[in-house]
């Protein structure tokens, strides 16, 4: 379907939304800059980063060092905390004015929340949760691949009649762009008339979740527990092993539903998607809804009584036996080494 009145020739450049919270740029931004650079070079165009926040100007050079040729900076106290309305308003305005052909955002809570609003306002398509991207330099179309039907198939989606082409991209599917100190680039301040921004919500305060799972996105190792732990006490073993390994703690939905651990730790289709170097699944059978959230982990170690269960079948290393015997052995071994 053709977007009404769109002249595709007017749209140029690859954009990466530089997600930040309280001045800290998310690591997904560096991954997107790396991939965005590759796409921009293939299209013979430039890579821009979009920085929205309060007092964040100083971050522009960091983005240039990571590959951005141009950084649009939108600064105002109204952007001090992320809110869908003002953030999506300003990014919509900027896209309508500058007309990029591709806009990449992280498939993070923030990206998932406001990317669809922007896409709807500018009447373009949005492919969510991409795990690979490619461009055709001739048609300038973006091939966006994402898991579909619970991860059973990979779907490649194109929006050839629309511009810009928008994708949210999962964490850790691309490598981070390397830093090149003092790299040359342009930083452009985008003047905002805050009166023109939609703002239907009032920010009351920020409460840190005391039970929040360690940031899965940056964890190299995740130790995850399932119903096979037997009861809530079983998570003490998981916590001990995780602490020794400096790992984050994950869980199956069954364990979270039983209230053995908060749902913020749940991994899978209706939980978090993770891609650590090592994923240790303890007493998790590996139903498809769990597997789709962790099957891109580099190494999967499964501990399970049932050698035939799906998790043991996909594991790099499958340890068959009672987790109440195996995990204490591993803990003892680590402590004595
Ligand atoms: P079980 O399937 O009961 O497996 C327990 C495992 O522990 C078994 O393999 C057993 O052999 C092993 N075991 C038992 N005792 C021991 C022992 N002493 N030592 C070693 N091994 C032992 N699930 C998710 O995890 N994440 C999701 O996001 C998610 N989303 C869903 C969305 C929908 C729409 C639906 C319908 C389901 C979803 N589920 C999700 C649920 C999913 O289908 C499974 O029910 C759930 O993953 C099972 O959790 P489990 O592996 O911990 O439990």
């Amino acid at each position: 379907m053709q977007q009404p009145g769109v002249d595709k020739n007017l749209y140029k450049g690859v954009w990466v939304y530089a997600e930040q919270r309280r001045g800290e740029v998310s690591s997904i931004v560096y991954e997107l800059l790396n991939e965005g650079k590759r796409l921009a070079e293939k299209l013979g165009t430039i890579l821009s980063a979009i920085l929205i926040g309060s007092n964040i100007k100083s971050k522009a050079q960091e983005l240039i060092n990571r590959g951005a040729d141009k950084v649009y900076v939108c600064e105002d106290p109204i952007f001090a905390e992320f809110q869908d309305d003002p953030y999506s308003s300003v990014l919509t305005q900027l896209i309508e004015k500058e007309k990029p052909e591709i806009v990449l955002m992280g498939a993070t809570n923030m990206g998932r929340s406001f990317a669809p609003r922007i896409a709807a306002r500018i009447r373009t398509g949005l492919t969510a949760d991409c795990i690979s991207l490619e461009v055709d330099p001739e048609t300038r179309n973006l091939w966006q691949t994402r898991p579909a039907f619970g991860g059973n198939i990979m779907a490649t989606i194109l929006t050839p009649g629309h511009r810009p082409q928008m994708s949210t991209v999962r964490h850790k599917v691309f490598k981070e762009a390397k830093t090149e100190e003092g790299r040359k680039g342009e930083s452009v301040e985008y003047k905002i008339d805050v009166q023109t921004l939609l703002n239907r919500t009032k920010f009351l305060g920020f409460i840190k979740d005391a039970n929040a799972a360690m940031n899965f996105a940056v964890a190299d190792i995740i130790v995850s527990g399932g119903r096979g732990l037997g009861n809530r006490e079983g998570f003490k073993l998981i916590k001990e092993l995780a602490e020794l390994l400096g790992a984050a703690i994950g869980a199956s939905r069954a364990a979270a539903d039983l209230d053995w651990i908060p749902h913020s730790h749940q991994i899978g289709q209706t939980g978090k998607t993770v891609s650590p170097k090592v994923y240790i699944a303890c007493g998790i059978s590996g139903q498809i809804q769990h597997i789709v959230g962790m099957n891109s982990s580099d190494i999967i170690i499964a501990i399970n009584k049932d050698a035939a269960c799906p998790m043991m079948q996909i594991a790099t290393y499958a340890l068959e036996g009672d987790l109440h015997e195996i995990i204490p052995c591993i803990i003892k071994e680590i402590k004595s080494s």
Side-chain angles (χ1 to χ4, degrees):
M1 198 179 79
Q2 195 78 20
Q3 196 175 3
V6 73
D7 177 356
K8 290 200 280 180
N9 295 320
L10 296 177
Y11 289 77
K12 287 277 166 332
V14 176
W15 279 18
V16 165
Y17 170 64
E19 173 173 335
Q20 60 82 31
R21 273 190 202 263
R22 303 206 169 99
E24 198 178 319
V25 176
S26 163
S27 60
I28 183 102
V29 175
Y30 306 131
E31 297 165 19
L32 294 180
L33 286 173
N34 199 19
E35 180 63 1
K37 188 86 195 157
R38 187 185 73 79
L39 300 176
E41 278 170 4
K42 240 181 140 176
L43 291 170
T45 187
I46 67 159
L47 173 67
S48 303
I50 317 303
L51 196 51
I52 304 172
S54 178
N55 289 322
I56 32 96
K57 231 183 273 175
S58 58
K59 296 285 165 190
Q61 185 59 45
E62 197 177 312
L63 300 171
I64 292 169
N65 290 350
R66 297 276 192 151
D69 301 304
K70 196 171 187 177
V71 181
Y72 291 94
V73 182
C74 310
E75 264 197 340
D76 192 275
I78 198 173
F79 302 127
E81 296 288 346
F82 174 73
Q83 290 181 90
D84 280 311
D85 270 352
Y87 269 67
S88 53
S89 275
V90 73
L91 193 45
T92 304
Q93 284 182 14
L94 202 54
I95 290 173
E96 283 174 338
K97 182 165 178 274
E98 302 294 332
K99 299 189 171 29
E101 56 193 312
I102 292 173
V103 178
L104 306 178
M105 300 169 86
T108 56
N109 288 344
M110 195 189 285
R112 284 180 173 144
S113 176
F114 86 128
R117 292 166 196 259
I118 298 164
R121 282 192 193 134
I122 53 185
R123 305 188 72 185
T124 192
L126 170 71
T127 307
D129 280 330
C130 293
I131 54 160
S132 96
L133 299 169
E134 198 44 271
V135 277
D136 175 356
E138 220 163 281
T139 59
R140 304 185 82 81
N141 287 334
L142 180 67
W143 295 60
Q144 306 155 98
T145 303
R146 54 153 297 158
F149 294 106
N152 286 316
I153 62 159
M154 289 296 153
T156 298
I157 296 167
L158 282 93
T159 48
H162 290 68
R163 291 295 182 270
Q165 303 164 91
M166 286 183 68
S167 323
T168 61
V169 180
R170 285 190 185 176
H171 242 292
K172 295 213 170 175
V173 293
F174 300 118
K175 290 211 170 358
E176 284 188 14
K178 292 203 171 72
T179 301
E180 189 190 321
E181 290 302 335
R183 194 174 165 272
K184 294 264 177 294
E186 193 187 352
S187 172
V188 181
E189 234 173 287
Y190 181 63
K191 292 266 169 272
I192 310 140
D193 176 1
V194 288
Q195 302 304 322
T196 63
L197 302 179
L198 190 64
N199 196 8
R200 295 167 298 184
T201 53
K202 194 171 170 198
F203 181 77
L204 295 179
F206 179 81
I207 301 164
K208 205 166 181 317
D209 179 1
N211 287 318
M214 176 179 168
N215 190 350
F216 284 134
V218 296
D220 280 340
I221 307 176
I222 295 174
V223 184
S224 230
R227 202 190 325 248
L229 290 171
N231 51 38
R232 189 181 301 199
E233 294 300 297
F235 265 97
K236 285 191 177 153
L237 265 184
I238 300 291
K239 281 181 189 157
E240 194 178 349
L241 180 58
E243 260 171 39
L244 283 170
L245 296 171
I249 296 173
S252 70
R253 178 159 152 181
D257 282 350
L258 285 161
D259 211 18
W260 294 350
I261 187 150
H263 273 101
S264 53
H265 292 258
Q266 185 189 316
I267 286 164
Q269 187 183 323
T270 42
K272 305 249 169 25
T273 302
V274 297
S275 187
K277 289 192 176 129
V278 183
Y279 187 86
I280 308 176
C282 310
I284 299 179
S285 59
Q287 300 309 307
I288 185 68
Q289 295 89 353
H290 188 85
I291 299 272
V292 290
M294 46 63 69
N295 60 357
S296 60
S297 308
D298 290 349
I299 294 173
I300 297 169
I301 301 173
I303 304 173
N304 204 298
K305 283 203 296 200
D306 176 9
C309 73
M311 187 61 85
M312 294 286 270
Q313 298 300 310
I314 66 155
T316 325
Y317 302 103
L319 308 182
E320 186 186 347
D322 188 336
L323 62 86
H324 295 102
E325 289 168 17
I326 295 175
I327 299 177
C329 279
I330 299 173
I331 290 172
K332 198 169 153 212
E333 200 57 38
I334 297 171
K335 280 183 174 167
S336 66
S337 64

